[in-house]
């Protein structure tokens, strides 16, 4: 029985360290290769030894697919390919290929230079790893080998994020990665055609949430910034370099443009500049508005947003500053925060979630006095705002995607177990499909019944068509032919052609059957009686009485002879070829019932 | 057959010749043109290969065929069709047959038999499809002939089983277009099997080819359009098609469902998987709502659009479209809208300070949450958030239509509309503002909503701001804080964009008159009066102060207690504003002062308005002068013209009338002046030099008459006669002047002839109005017409001269409503010192933004003219889409003008202005004479020209030489 097996190495009932193994029709594919933010030990990378204890990974995996550039989806890639050792192809979209190494390098720097970790992958390893990457376009079908093909769909979420369809023959799996069903200011909504995969592996970060309209959020954000700037305050927005930052930039930029505002907006330099560069480049991956207007002006060519310099923080007058990192735990954002915290005119807007222990989390939970290093106490007088900008599909969005793709079964990853439970139940109830939510290391096996395509010869098809009505797509139809299996392909041909092709002589196979009839009359008369009987019974068929005394019904021959021992009994010899088996057996049964009494 | 054919060809050939011989000489040209069919026949016989034949056919198809020769051509084509083996040629012939049968004046029933005949023997699917198309053309040409239609339907049914989708498509199309309506079928069965067209088409809803499925649905819709009542059973079939794999099928199915829901809104349909039943229109509404989150945006647009027109849907369903039950971690969450509402009702301002302000509240029963309801849930929420702006616009439009029919829905959708004010695409923002304006009768804005609305006032787009001002004009505000907020924001807007001044004043006028009681408590604050101290008198020229006053005065109109709060200078300012901005400041009953006059002024009708009286009087004064001495007449005319012009400047509502009359008087003045020239008595040779003045006068009168005719909206026939009369006089003047200045008689012949023709034309056009023109120039002229016709040019000129001098001044009746077309170019402002640099030979785009007032049909009449310093003038026709219509009588032109020139050595200015194009034909009333075709076209002088109607703006440009 063919089957699809799925084993999450990471992201099974968990967020982070996405890594899912799929084997489909004998092909093994690894989806994503991420790291876990929460751990600093071995647990941060997936356990690749699960795949093979001592063999080479390349022999076991046909390809690796990376859905987008977030580290929890690609962070372990250099480790996996260079340190564990994998030489096969790695597939990702062009923007992901461009931005991924920047983030990996940044990650490496923090891990090695700041935290001083040893035995970490090097810059060279990142470069080598990226050399194994094959970039794909949206909706481009890539043949990994003769049987395995993959295809990318737009997923929203971040620049270059894609959903992948993995297909072998007629069996297919769709992996969504992270996706967003509501468009935002810089990216469009995820879209997939009705590809009806055997299995849909979807993220479920917001499995139990239905989000409010994004417009309220945007309006709130803009209003807060606008008010703060109007009363002459400075606004600090701590962000991570990629993703939401660009959305907020576009939001503010267009608002500034519309409202003709003059206060400067700054973006802390470094990573971001490079990233913005890629956003400018991959315009086709953005939303309708940006794509349509970029001929006049590329939206990422910011007019109002300039690079930030450390000295600007002390400038008088209102300003807005985007600074990294997003949780105010270190770096530039923290520095600026310390400078501005004392003035109640200023404002800090946290656009995302903050981990416990960071300054961001403290101020969000309402702490007004912060203890900084060196026993300093920082009094926070500035306004603290929280806005949630997140680019994952909510429960409704997930359901919408499932509805669009119409899978045979669904598998949930990248979410919390408790929340998945709810969504699982909903999916099973609404769509009446099976839904799975394996934990890490747990394997789900799905039996499949792949359809096997068989080629039919045109001659045979036409002959069959001529016999009956038009083929109806909805109804099965019976036809006679010969199935030839040769080099793992199947053909249905007419028997004559099959014989010819195989170089075989045709064997006539005839069935003969004797039917005893009690009839004292002569053979000829018996034959006549049989003829008239059959003629009356079989109106659709051609019944003939031949001069030699035999009767034929189509190609079936009936001869009457006197019984050698009993002259009162006639023996009817019925003979037919096996093609006419149906009619032949019908005839015999008919004759066995006897002839009707002669009318006289 | 060939011989017969040839004979036929020659027959036709000769026939044509004979006809021509009988006809008049002017049509001789046709002689050289051989018969179409003959040429085609010869060509086709010459063709050696199918490719050749195809070429000939293609060439043939480029020229039109006259109705009388169509049949011959068709015969020849059919003849070749039978002989032709190549399907592509047959296809072309089939398509030509279709085209030919559409020829006006040709009845295609004669070729139908042949077409059906060849259809039966045809093997190629493509040709078959084309032939069916031809039959469709024939069938639509003969809508009355039942028998033919039946026959065609039969043919279509027979070919429905064809294996090619193209053929099936065409068959369905044929059925949709020709399938007989039920009634007629039952009446005349005539032996033909009565077919249930609907059932036949319906069977193809499940065809294997999506194109055929689409065609089937389209055919069904076509039946509906032709007035056939669709069966309700189709509804279920169509519902199944909603989940089709192909977008065009789904899109068509949505339409079909909509149609059925409009036909049977009150039928009851069961809800699957439960025992409940609902109205069909509700069910359909739910289904279409569901399609708003379809995968294909084409379907989404279609669905969103159709939602708007489903007005019979129940309230309960309608309101669900705006409901998207929020939850967070399985706990019910309130939407931001609900929170805002609650904060408002609890009297608090939105804090937004606290984190977790939006923390979810109650637990949700997991079983009860239905993530994708089959119903209408949240359709608009999704539609308004869609990625494609086309969908968003469609959703906004639908909201608008539904809200107009349901006040309670209007109230609910307000929050969403307000949110759309922040859309990233301007078009969507604009659309939602307009929508809001349309439904504003049903709603009252809450303070927090007003806040959001007002925030858009800072938008840099003028369109948006103006739309918003219009919206505020008709908005209901609930509190005095709201009014204050609106005023503050509008003043902010005023300082930021001073060009919005008029629009803002107008907005405040309405705001004030709508909310007098809310303005009342604000008055002391707004006027910054103090109970004990006198405050400084504000600057009267400050637009912001005027804005405040406009608000207050308009509120005071219906609030008699308000003037008591005014300080002295306010009254003075009132008097001033009442005079200077009378359209914004209403007449008030002020205590103590001017009570009498204001009481009078409030009761008078516009006709008794003193300024109007003044206008009437001055005009009457002029018309009464007949026998004054020329000197006095001229002076009086000059004075009156001056008065009228001043009046027009002061009283904007009278500007049109005043200008119109002034222009007429000016024409008269010019005429009088020209006739008063002493030079008329001087001998011809001496006259030469001084003729300038008279001919210039004639020319100017002509120009002015065109202006009068085409630049004013609301000009009636009465005026047009007078204008034309004036023009005729100018032409006579011109003729006289030319006669005096040119030597020799020959050129005069032509001119006289032409002039007489024009008189003739005038007479015929305005025959009905001639009685009003007693004693006028034309009246006399017509009396003498027989004499003029026979006399020599010199005599004619003499007669004309005396008549012109004797002619009296015609009274110009004033039209009820008359407005002068005017245009103001807002952009380019023409102040820039930086030249627009571009490489010579390439183009530079110049943004032009102008407002047009009282222009009729601006899409066709308004042009942009660019004058280059070298005298070169360029006329640009703006695209129809460049015109917007923000209000009645107003248009806005936003377009781009492309400039280009060869290299200059230094920057120079080009002039940009707007022109009004006219065509004298368009105004002339069509009398039966003209329609009868008795007028030869030469006489109908259609004069096309342009009138500049805006000030020209100078733009500094600099074409640089191209760098090599």
């Amino acid at each position: 029985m063919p089957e699809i097996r799925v084993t999450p190495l990471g992201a099974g009932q968990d967020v982070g360290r996405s890594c899912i193994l799929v084997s489909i029709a004998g092909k093994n594919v690894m989806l994503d290769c991420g790291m876990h933010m929460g751990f600093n030990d071995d647990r941060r990378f997936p356990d690749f030894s699960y795949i093979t204890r001592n063999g080479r990974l390349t022999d076991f995996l046909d390809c690796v697919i990376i859905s987008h550039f977030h580290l929890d989806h690609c962070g372990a890639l250099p480790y996996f390919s260079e340190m564990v050792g994998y030489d096969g192809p790695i597939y990702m979209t062009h923007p992901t290929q461009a931005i991924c190494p920047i983030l990996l390098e940044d990650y490496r720097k923090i891990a090695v230079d700041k935290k001083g970790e040893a035995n970490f992958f090097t810059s060279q390893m990142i470069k080598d790893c990226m050399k194994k990457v094959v970039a794909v376009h949206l909706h481009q079908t890539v043949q990994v080998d003769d049987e395995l093909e993959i295809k990318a769909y737009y997923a929203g979420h971040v620049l270059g994020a894609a959903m992948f369809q993995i297909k072998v023959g007629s069996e297919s799996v769709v992996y969504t990665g992270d996706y967003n069903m509501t468009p935002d200011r810089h990216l469009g909504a995820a879209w997939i055609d009705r590809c009806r995969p055997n299995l849909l592996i979807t993220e479920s970060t917001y499995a139990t949430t239905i989000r409010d309209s994004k417009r309220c959020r945007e309006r709130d954000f803009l209003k807060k910034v606008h008010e703060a700037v109007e009363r002459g305050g400075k606004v600090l927005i701590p962000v991570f370099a990629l993703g939401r930052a660009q959305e907020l930039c576009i939001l503010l930029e267009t608002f500034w443009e519309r409202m003709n505002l003059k206060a400067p907006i700054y973006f802390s330099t470094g990573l971001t500049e490079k990233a913005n560069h890629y956003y400018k480049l991959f315009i086709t991956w953005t939303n309708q508005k940006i794509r349509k207007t970029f001929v006049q002006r590329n939206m990422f060519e910011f007019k109002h947003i300039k690079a930030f310099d450390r000295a600007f923080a002390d400038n008088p007058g209102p300003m807005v500053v985007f600074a990294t990192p997003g949780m105010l735990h270190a770096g530039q954002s923290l520095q600026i925060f310390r400078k501005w915290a004392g003035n109640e005119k200023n404002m800090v807007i946290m656009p995302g979630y903050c981990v416990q222990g960071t300054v961001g989390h403290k101020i969000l939970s309402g702490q007004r006095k912060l203890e900084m290093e060196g026993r300093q106490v920082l009094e926070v007088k500035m306004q603290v705002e929280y806005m949630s900008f997140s680019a994952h599909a909510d429960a409704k969005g997930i359901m919408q995607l499932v509805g669009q793709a119409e899978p045979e079964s669904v598998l949930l990853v990248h979410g919390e177990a408790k929340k998945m439970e709810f969504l699982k139940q909903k999916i099973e109830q609404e769509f009446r499909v099976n839904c799975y939510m394996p934990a890490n290391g747990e394997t789900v096996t799905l039996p499949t019944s792949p359809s096997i395509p068989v080629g039919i010869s045109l001659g045979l098809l036409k002959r069959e068509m001529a016999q009956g009505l038009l083929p109806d797509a909805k109804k099965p139809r019976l036809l006679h032919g010969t199935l030839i299996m040769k080099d793992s392909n199947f053909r249905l041909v007419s028997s004559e052609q099959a014989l010819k092709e195989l170089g075989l002589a045709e064997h006539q196979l005839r069935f003969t059957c004797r039917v005893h009839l009690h009839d004292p009359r002569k053979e000829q008369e018996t034959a006549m009686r049989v003829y008239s009987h059959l003629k009356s019974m079989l109106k659709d068929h051609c019944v003939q009485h031949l001069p030699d005394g035999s009767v034929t019904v189509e190609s079936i021959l009936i001869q009457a002879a006197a019984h050698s021992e009993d002259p009162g009994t006639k023996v009817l010899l019925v003979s037919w070829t096996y093609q006419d088996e149906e009619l032949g057996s019908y005839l015999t049964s008919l004759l066995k019932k006897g002839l009707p009494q002669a009318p006289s | 057959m060939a011989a017969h054919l040839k004979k036929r060809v020659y027959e036709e050939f000769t026939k044509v010749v004979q006809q021509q011989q009988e006809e008049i000489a002017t049509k001789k040209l046709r002689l050289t043109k051989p018969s179409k069919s003959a040429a085609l026949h010869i060509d086709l016989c010459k063709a050696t290969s199918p490719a050749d034949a195809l070429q000939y056919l293609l060439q043939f198809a480029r020229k039109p065929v006259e109705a009388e020769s169509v049949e011959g051509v068709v015969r020849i084509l059919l003849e070749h069709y039978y002989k032709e083996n190549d399907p592509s040629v047959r296809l072309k012939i089939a398509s030509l047959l279709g085209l030919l049968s559409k020829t006006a004046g040709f009845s295609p029933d004669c070729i139908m038999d042949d077409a059906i005949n060849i259809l039966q023997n045809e093997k190629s699917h493509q040709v078959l499809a084309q032939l069916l198309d031809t039959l469709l053309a024939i069938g639509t040409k003969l809508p009355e002939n039942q028998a033919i239609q039946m026959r065609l339907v039969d043919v279509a049914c027979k070919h429905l089983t064809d294996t090619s989708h193209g053929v099936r498509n065409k068959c369905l199309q044929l059925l949709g277009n020709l399938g007989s309506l039920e009634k007629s079928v039952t009446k005349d069965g005539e032996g033909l099997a009565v077919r249930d067209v609907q059932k036949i088409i319906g069977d193809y809803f499940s065809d294997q080819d999506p194109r055929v499925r689409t065609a089937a649905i389209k055919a069904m819709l076509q039946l509906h359009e032709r007035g056939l009542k669709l069966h309700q059973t189709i509804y279920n079939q169509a519902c199944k098609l909603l989940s089709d794999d192909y977008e065009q099928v789904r899109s068509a199915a949505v339409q079909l469902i909509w149609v059925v829901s409009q036909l049977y809104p009150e039928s009851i349909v069961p809800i699957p998987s439960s025992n409940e039943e609902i109205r069909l229109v509700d069910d359909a509404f739910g289904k279409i709502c569901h399609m708003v989150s379809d995968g294909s945006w084409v379907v989404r647009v279609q669905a969103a659009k159709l939602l708007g027109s489903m007005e019979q849907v129940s309230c309960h369903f309608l309101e669900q479209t705006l409901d998207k039950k929020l939850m967070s971690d399985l706990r019910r969450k309130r939407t931001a809208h609900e929170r805002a509402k609650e904060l408002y009702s609890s009297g608090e301002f939105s804090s937004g300070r606290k984190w977790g302000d939006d923390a979810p509240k109650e637990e949700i029963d997991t079983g009860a949450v239905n993530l994708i309801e089959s119903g209408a849930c949240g359709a608009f929420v999704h539609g308004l958030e869609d990625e494609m702006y086309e969908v968003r616009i469609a959703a906004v439009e639908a909201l608008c239509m539904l809200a107009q029919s349901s006040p309670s829905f209007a109230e609910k959708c307000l929050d969403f509309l307000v949110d759309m004010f922040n859309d990233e695409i301007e078009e969507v923002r604009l659309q939602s503002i307009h929508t809001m304006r349309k439904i504003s009768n049903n709603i009252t804005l809450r303070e927090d909503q007003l806040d959001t609305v007002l925030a858009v006032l800072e938008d840099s787009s003028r369109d948006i701001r103006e739309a918003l001002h219009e919206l505020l004009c008709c908005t209901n505000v609930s509190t005095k804080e709201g009014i204050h907020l609106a005023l503050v924001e509008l003043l902010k807007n005023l300082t930021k964009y001073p060009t919005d001044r008029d629009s803002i004043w107008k907005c405040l006028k309405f705001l004030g008159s709508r909310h007098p009681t809310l303005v009342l408590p604000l008055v002391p604050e707004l006027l910054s009066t103090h109970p004990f101290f006198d405050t400084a008198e504000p600057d009267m020229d400050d637009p912001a102060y005027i804005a405040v006053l406009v608000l207050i005065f308009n509120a005071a109109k219906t609030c008699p207690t308000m003037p008591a709060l005014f300080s002295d200078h306010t009254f003075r300012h009132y008097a001033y504003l009442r005079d200077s901005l009378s359209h914004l400041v209403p007449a008030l009953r002020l205590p103590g002062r001017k009570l009498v006059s204001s009481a009078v002024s409030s009761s008078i009708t516009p006709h008794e308005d003193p300024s109007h009286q003044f206008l009437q009087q001055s005009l009457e004064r002029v018309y009464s002068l007949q026998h004054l001495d020329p000197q006095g007449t001229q002076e009086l005319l000059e004075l009156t013209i001056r008065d009228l012009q001043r009046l027009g400047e002061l009283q904007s509502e009278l500007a049109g009338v005043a200008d119109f009359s002034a222009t007429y008087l000016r024409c008269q003045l010019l005429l009088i002046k020209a006739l008063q020239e002493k030079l008329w008595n001087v001998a011809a040779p001496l006259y030469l030099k001084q003729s300038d003045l008279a001919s210039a006068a004639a020319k100017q009168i002509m120009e002015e008459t065109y202006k009068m005719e085409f630049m004013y909206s609301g000009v009636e026939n009465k005026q047009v006669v007078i204008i034309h009369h004036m023009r005729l006089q100018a032409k006579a003047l011109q003729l006289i002047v030319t006669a005096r200045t040119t030597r020799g008689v020959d050129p005069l012949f032509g001119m006289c002839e032409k002039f007489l023709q024009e008189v003739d034309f005038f007479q015929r056009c305005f025959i009905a109005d001639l009685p009003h023109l007693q004693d006028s120039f034309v009246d006399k002229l017509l009396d003498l017409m027989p004499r003029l016709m026979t006399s020599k040019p010199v005599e004619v000129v003499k007669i004309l001269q005396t008549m012109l001098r004797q002619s009296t001044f015609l009274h110009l009746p004033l039209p009820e409503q008359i407005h002068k077309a005017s245009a103001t170019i807002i952009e380019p402002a023409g102040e820039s010192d930086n030249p627009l640099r571009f490489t010579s030979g390439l183009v530079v785009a110049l943004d032009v933004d102008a407002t047009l007032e009282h222009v009729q049909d601006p899409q066709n009449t308004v042009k942009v003219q660019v004058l280059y310093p070298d005298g070169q003038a360029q006329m640009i026709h703006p695209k129809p889409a460049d015109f917007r219509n923000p209000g009645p009588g107003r248009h806005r032109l936003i377009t781009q003008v492309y400039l280009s020139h060869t290299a200059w050595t230094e920057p120079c200015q080009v002039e940009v202005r707007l022109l009004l194009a006219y065509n004298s034909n368009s105004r002339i009333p069509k009398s039966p004479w003209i329609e009868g075709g008795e007028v030869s076209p030469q006489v109908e002088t259609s004069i096309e020209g342009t009138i500049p109607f805006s000030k020209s703006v100078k733009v500094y440009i600099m074409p640089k030489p191209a760098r090599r």
Side-chain angles (χ1 to χ4, degrees), chain B residues 208-424:
Chain B
Q208 55 177 347
D209 194 301
R211 288 163 288 197
V212 180
R213 290 200 292 273
T214 317
I217 302 173
K218 291 249 168 83
M220 201 63 103
L221 289 169
Q222 183 70 33
L223 282 182
H224 168 71
E225 255 169 50
R226 290 176 52 228
L228 188 77
K229 192 160 189 195
L230 302 183
H231 300 312
Q232 203 193 322
T233 45
I234 287 169
Y235 182 70
N236 284 332
Q237 285 178 290
C239 286
K240 272 179 216 137
L241 288 172
L242 282 183
S243 53
D244 199 278
D245 283 6
Y246 292 83
E247 65 177 28
Q248 68 268 45
V249 182
R250 292 199 300 269
S251 171
V254 170
Q255 274 179 314
L256 188 59
I257 285 189
W258 179 79
V259 164
V260 178
S261 78
Q262 299 299 306
L263 285 174
Y264 306 95
E266 300 299 331
S267 309
I268 298 295
V269 288
I271 303 175
S273 78
S274 80
N275 297 326
E276 286 172 70
E277 289 180 328
I278 51 172
R279 290 160 72 215
L280 190 139
V281 66
D282 289 342
D283 190 50
F285 187 76
K287 292 209 158 79
I288 296 178
C289 278
H290 188 66
M291 298 311 277
V292 173
S293 49
D294 190 86
S296 149
W297 71 271
V298 182
V299 181
R300 294 203 296 268
V301 172
Q302 179 76 267
K305 267 189 193 145
L306 291 176
L307 280 184
S309 45
M310 299 182 78
E311 277 152 20
Q312 300 109 312
V313 76
S314 346
C315 246
H316 164 65
F317 273 86
L318 200 55
E319 278 156 23
Q320 270 189 24
T321 54
L322 295 176
D323 185 26
K324 183 181 173 188
K325 290 195 175 55
L326 301 193
M327 61 175 189
S328 170
D329 287 352
L330 288 179
R331 274 179 298 172
R332 169 101 174 86
K333 212 171 125 178
R334 283 167 312 141
T335 62
H337 291 147
E338 286 169 326
R339 267 181 282 140
K341 202 168 181 178
E342 215 160 276
L343 274 175
Y344 170 74
S345 47
S346 69
E348 244 179 279
F349 277 100
S350 168
S351 70
R353 297 286 143 68
K354 261 181 285 166
W355 182 42
D357 184 18
D358 58 348
K361 298 277 148 54
E362 70 258 53
E363 291 271 345
I364 288 180
D365 172 21
T366 48
V369 182
N370 203 2
L371 284 180
I372 46 161
E373 281 94 337
S374 50
C377 257
F380 277 118
V381 181
H382 285 292
L384 294 176
E385 271 184 28
D386 201 276
E387 181 187 358
M388 312 300 280
Y389 82 92
E390 291 91 340
V391 183
R392 297 201 296 268
I393 286 192
V396 169
E397 272 165 11
L399 262 188
C400 172
M401 287 164 81
L402 289 172
Q404 274 173 325
S405 58
S406 155
S408 69
F409 183 71
E411 196 74 43
K412 287 224 165 60
C413 75
L414 208 55
D415 279 321
F416 294 90
L417 270 182
V418 169
D419 278 347
M420 293 308 284
F421 285 14
N422 283 320
D423 195 273
E424 52 194 341

